[in-house]
Amino acid sequence: MKNHSFTAIVLAAGQGTRMKSSTPKVLHLLGHLPLIHHVDCLLEASNCQNRILVTAPSMESVREHFPQYHHAIQENPLGTGHAVRAAEPFIKDNEDVVILYGDVPFVAKDTLQAMMEEKASNAADIILLSMMPEDPGAYGRLIIDDEGFVERIVEYKDATEEEKEIPFCNSGILLTKGSLLKNLLKKISNKNAKKEYYLTDIIGIATQEGFKTLALDGAEEELMGVNSPEDLALAEALFQGYCRQKFLDQGVRFLDPDTTYFAYDTEIAEDVTIEPNVFCGPGVQIKKGAHVRAFSYLEGCTIGENTVVGPFARIRPGTVLEKNTRVGNFVELKNSTIGEGSKVPHLSYVGDATLGRKVNVGAGTITCNYDGYQKHKTTIGDNVFIGSNTSLIAPITIGDNAMVGAGSTLTQDVAKDSLALSRKEQSNIENGAQKFRAKHRKD
Ligand code: UD1
Ligand code: CA
């Protein structure tokens, strides 16, 4: 099946009004990735060569995500059948065509593969995915004939009370040959409750013309569609659950898996321990043996082997922690590399910096990287010791083995092996405290 070439039509022209958002529905995030990209990932994994996206004229922001697609614009949302018709110019007669939905994000590669295999075995002319949800709600219902084929689909709004009792529901996803699809689409009408051109009507028409439709039963969670913020929250919970299970199976230890959050591209190696309430935004890679302590917020970073991060660390995009580093509580790192064996144990901001190996950064160290207009770089060599409460005003370079005295504000580079101090010399006034109190005493 590997080289089987097929066309995919992804429907996304619906207005998604139930999301109550100015963002097009399919661009809402699931695991930090827009819904529609989950469908694209399926097509990528399935090696689909011909991809067609159907959008409304106003959805330029959606089309921009997919320069490699054919774009079909549905001028008015007159129904799912009308939407597929908009894609016709890009449908090849001899190729199989699968119809997918931009707001149905969990369809698995294996499921698509199973549909293809049924089709290839000539089991039927049309293969569709059905489901038996706990609450069938307003899904279209499948009317099955005596031989077990689908005779037609009745939309909920057009269904009789008896038909509404049918538990077999239409997921909307189907596979058929391009020429047959085009032929059937010509024959659908909008004489129904919603005055729409229903794609689902092609099944009844096919039956009348002697073609067979077979339903493959899928899991409700896999075929769920996102129509409202509630659905999106449910989809996110499912997504997080899948990630947790995947990482547990891979040998990641969680003290409380339900409180750890992941993005679509989070990578965690084996032998990693994650404490409660850890958040991974996009682009996080956690390497073998690392320990992420509670309440850490990670985005766009690499946590090196055997590194300890947190508790309460914020690691921002562009940060690389090399092997055996320590990043402690209330530390914010951004766009910085922390060299092997280096430590930033507490209360620091390190941004746009490169630290060598075995550097020790004292509490309260700030890289002053921004002058209000531009960001500047801080470079720190190997074995450098930075005393507590130090301000490093960038651009600045501190050479290997240098030391910086606590409380310093540095504006100039420090040569290797040097000690930099920039603080006013201390003066002690004998009995000064006593005198001060005497002066201010009220009684
Ligand atoms: C559709 C099916 C229903 C099935 C359900 C599964 C039809 C007529 N009904 O109903 O049998 O149980 O999906 O979720 O197909 N779209 C367009 N242009 C349009 C209308 C819709 O592109 O003019 C797109 C939407 O963006 C969406 C998809 O098609 O991605 C489905 O449309 P929607 O209105 O949600 O269909 P349902 O009423 O849910
Ligand atoms: Ca829907």
Side-chain angles (χ1 to χ4, degrees), residues 134-159:
E134 230 166 83
D135 169 19
Y139 286 124
R141 303 295 206 269
L142 305 187
I143 315 290
I144 312 284
D145 71 15
D146 298 340
E147 289 174 85
F149 290 105
V150 187
E151 188 183 307
R152 62 190 170 93
I153 297 176
V154 58
E155 286 304 302
Y156 183 78
K157 282 205 167 169
D158 302 290

Side-chain angles (χ1 to χ4, degrees), residues 27 31 69-70 124 129 135 149 152 155 186 198 219 245 249 261 307 311 331 333 340-341 348 350 418:
L27 293 186
Y69 275 56
H70 292 298
L129 285 181
D135 169 19
F149 290 105
R152 62 190 170 93
E155 286 304 302
K186 282 195 190 88
Y198 294 158
Q245 193 55 53
D249 293 345
Y261 290 83
T307 282
V331 170
L333 305 179
E340 190 178 330
S348 292
V350 175
S418 301

Side-chain angles (χ1 to χ4, degrees), residues 335-351:
N335 192 31
S336 293
T337 298
I338 311 296
E340 190 178 330
S342 290
K343 296 178 183 166
V344 191
H346 15 238
L347 295 155
S348 292
Y349 171 66
V350 175

